[in-house]
Amino acid sequence: MCGELCKTSRVGHPGLFFHKTTSKNIASCSEAVHIISAVAQAKKDLNLIEFVVLNVLDGSKNSNFDCCIYGDEKLSVHRVKAVVKETYPLKRRFADLKARQYQCFVHNISFKMKHIQLVGKNEFCNSSHIRQPVLYASVKENKFAICAKIAYNYLNPLHLIEWFEYQKMMGVDTVMISLQQVNEDAYAVLKYYEREGIAILISFPCKLPGNIDRGFAPHKWHYHQSTHDEQVAVYSCKEILQGFEYVAVVDVDEYIVHGNFSIYTEMLKSELLPAFPDAAAFTMRVSFFITDWGVSGVEPLITSKYIRRSKPLFNRYKNIYLPNRTATMDTHVVWPIKGYRRIRLRSQNVILYHYRKCKSSNNTKDVCMTFSKHSDTKMMKIMFELYDKVVAVKRRCDISA
């Protein structure tokens, strides 16, 4: 059954359900550092793992910490220096809590790692304090994954099913989402796909740490700090999906569309990579299907309901990247390692379709209100196949929408 909900109460947000952990479960070495996830290096042989990466929101001044790593037994403890791997540079002078990665080298450990902490140089490792579970990244050669960043607030459950079923049609192996708080039906859908094996859901704090009241909805977005909040979710994706051949960073209202609906791995192997063998990433142009323009197609699928779009633009573009050729990335940009480059797709037959409202229908300054309108019925070619899949999952999940 899809309807199993986490057994936490609704707090301050009627109709919103929280994932299994709340803010008190964020491990921290002090009030200054908050671990969001801890991920071991992707290796087929776990004995060859060399490091664990901690993805944190960090308000410390000197970043001088040690890692305490725990196994199953109480005496299985290893302490090692935490090395700063990366600090997100955008707006970091103005963010109280910076998105940062610490690296803990573990090649001398003789036990399987279960939990980890950060502690100050003068603090002891203490297994009774809050510890972060260590996640193990999988090696998935020739597989395609999606980082959908953060699920929060209200998500239309039928649109969510439609999005997941489209990704399955396109050959996606895994979708990773940091789950904050969502409505009951959307939570049921996400848990369904987690049980099916395509979704990886990790917890994201419902109440974000620090003194700034903020969130990811437009009216709660904090110009400096929210950028780092979002980036730490991207860091989690980067580490958990490091063993995949290809990864795309797209949201659940965005669809990668190939002209012939080729599955993503074939599109890359047969078209894009032969044309650009030194590519670390492919940046896709975006066509915006603005829902404020009104229904122009056939209900109920969002991809057939709205068929008027902007021309393809390099506006809020997204990327498909190759982890083994990439140094780091954020929501919109990929930084390749030496010898590789990011390719902007201009004439190629792949575009990102983004279904969205304007930030405010009354805000004539929003750039989306100035987009020219073009009819595009491409998604109707798969409408019936996709609709049948959506209806079947809706029935299994007992969704009322």
Side-chain angles (χ1 to χ4, degrees), residues 73 357 380:
E73 303 298 327
K357 290 176 62 70
M380 286 189 168

Side-chain angles (χ1 to χ4, degrees), residues 18-235:
F18 302 104
H19 201 38
K20 291 182 181 178
T21 60
T22 57
S23 57
K24 71 179 182 180
N25 295 103
I26 304 168
S28 65
C29 58
S30 67
E31 291 299 313
V33 185
H34 306 267
I35 303 174
I36 304 301
S37 64
V39 186
Q41 182 187 23
K43 291 286 187 181
K44 290 181 179 179
D45 183 348
L46 300 186
N47 294 317
L48 299 179
I49 292 173
E50 297 181 2
F51 55 80
V52 175
V53 172
L54 306 181
N55 305 298
V56 311
L57 287 171
D58 191 349
S60 67
K61 296 188 182 301
N62 55 20
S63 304
N64 189 21
F65 304 113
D66 286 345
C67 306
C68 295
I69 302 153
Y70 300 88
D72 280 324
E73 303 298 327
K74 288 185 177 180
L75 296 179
S76 299
V77 183
H78 182 80
R79 182 166 181 156
V80 66
K81 179 179 173 59
V83 179
V84 174
K85 179 185 180 185
E86 181 178 327
T87 302
Y88 188 53
L90 191 63
K91 304 174 186 174
R92 72 176 182 180
R93 288 180 56 195
F94 306 101
D96 292 341
L97 298 170
K98 298 169 180 58
R100 180 168 285 154
Q101 293 186 297
Y102 286 96
Q103 199 166 43
C104 311
F105 290 93
V106 298
H107 47 272
N108 292 325
I109 288 182
S110 59
F111 55 84
K112 184 175 181 180
M113 301 172 289
K114 301 289 286 189
H115 295 91
I116 197 165
Q117 292 170 331
L118 278 180
V119 298
K121 292 295 183 181
N122 296 322
E123 296 176 312
F124 295 104
C125 294
N126 190 335
S127 62
S128 65
H129 291 173
I130 295 172
R131 302 171 298 170
Q132 186 76 17
V134 175
L135 306 175
Y136 285 81
S138 299
V139 176
K140 295 285 189 85
E141 296 170 355
N142 300 312
K143 297 295 185 181
F144 194 105
I146 287 179
C147 169
K149 295 189 300 184
I150 305 163
Y152 61 91
N153 288 2
Y154 178 81
L155 296 174
N156 184 303
L158 292 184
H159 294 172
L160 198 56
I161 294 170
E162 180 181 356
W163 185 86
F164 267 100
E165 291 303 311
Y166 178 81
Q167 306 312 327
K168 289 166 61 179
M169 289 171 65
M170 296 300 108
V172 171
D173 181 86
T174 297
V175 174
M176 186 193 146
I177 302 177
S178 293
L179 183 53
Q180 192 188 44
Q181 56 190 36
V182 292
N183 47 302
E184 178 179 352
D185 283 346
Y187 186 83
V189 170
L190 291 169
K191 295 299 288 183
Y192 169 81
Y193 286 108
E194 182 182 50
R195 286 192 295 275
E196 196 179 66
I198 188 174
I200 295 175
L201 307 177
I202 70 167
S203 296
F204 204 84
C206 296
K207 184 182 185 310
L208 294 169
N211 299 320
I212 300 171
D213 181 24
R214 64 197 190 279
F216 296 107
H219 69 284
K220 296 284 284 182
W221 185 269
H222 185 273
Y223 182 68
H224 302 303
Q225 185 57 56
S226 295
T227 302
H228 283 256
D229 298 336
E230 183 179 71
Q231 180 60 25
V232 80
V234 175
Y235 278 156

